Amino acid sequence: MKKVVYIVIITLLLIVTACDIGPVSIDLGLGGDASKSTGGQIDVAIDSPISGSTLPLRSVDIAYHATSTDGLSAVELSINGGVVNTFANPETNQKVITLSYSWQPTAGGSHIIRVRALNSLGVWSDYSTSTVNIEASSQPAQKEN
């Protein structure tokens, strides 16, 4: 009798798993691809300027990139919390995007540069962050005679 009960329970579990009934989800550890529902790996990085850099008060070239195994739909660059550039990718099967942006800081002090990417499945990456210090003046110190 116990054998029959076990066979019925296992059969029901297999049916529920195979049919994917409603919100019921059973993982039997059979190697299913979990990345289908949440999206694959998305990596973003700021290549320059290097975090912790001190730069003069002049134009700063920001180089950054994004990669995703699912393809990329957009890459977003923000400075001090405001979006300054969004690249919308018409070819969402593209897996690597390298971009640059010329930023003209208007004030000295600490500035936070952030980048994130959206994959073709609609999943945003975490932010990559670089904090730079802009010198208050772009004028070089004058020598005294």
Side-chain angles (χ1 to χ4, degrees):
M1 184 66 171
K2 280 187 176 181
K3 274 187 173 181
V4 173
V5 172
Y6 288 131
I7 291 173
V8 170
I9 290 173
I10 290 172
T11 304
L12 288 174
L13 285 173
L14 290 173
I15 291 171
V16 169
T17 302
C19 295
D20 193 24
I21 299 172
V24 176
S25 176
I26 300 172
D27 183 4
L28 298 176
L30 301 176
D33 186 3
S35 68
K36 288 182 183 176
S37 62
T38 61
Q41 183 71 24
I42 309 168
D43 292 310
V44 293
I46 300 168
D47 303 311
S48 70
I50 296 171
S51 190
S53 298
T54 297
L55 306 168
L57 183 61
R58 66 173 186 225
S59 182
V60 175
D61 291 326
I62 301 170
Y64 54 105
H65 71 271
T67 62
S68 173
T69 56
D70 294 313
L72 294 159
S73 296
V75 181
E76 180 184 272
L77 173 70
S78 61
I79 300 174
N80 298 326
V83 175
V84 295
N85 190 39
T86 301
F87 175 77
N89 188 19
E91 308 220 6
T92 59
N93 62 344
Q94 187 174 353
K95 297 181 184 321
V96 178
I97 295 176
T98 302
L99 299 163
S100 64
Y101 180 81
S102 184
W103 168 51
Q104 182 61 56
T106 58
S110 181
H111 298 275
I112 299 171
I113 303 167
R114 297 188 333 164
V115 174
R116 69 178 182 160
L118 179 68
N119 73 9
S120 63
L121 301 176
V123 177
W124 281 101
S125 70
D126 291 332
Y127 283 99
S128 175
T129 302
S130 180
T131 301
V132 297
N133 187 50
I134 302 296
E135 294 175 335
S137 173
S138 63
Q139 300 297 322
Q142 293 183 352
K143 292 182 184 178
E144 291 186 27
N145 291 331

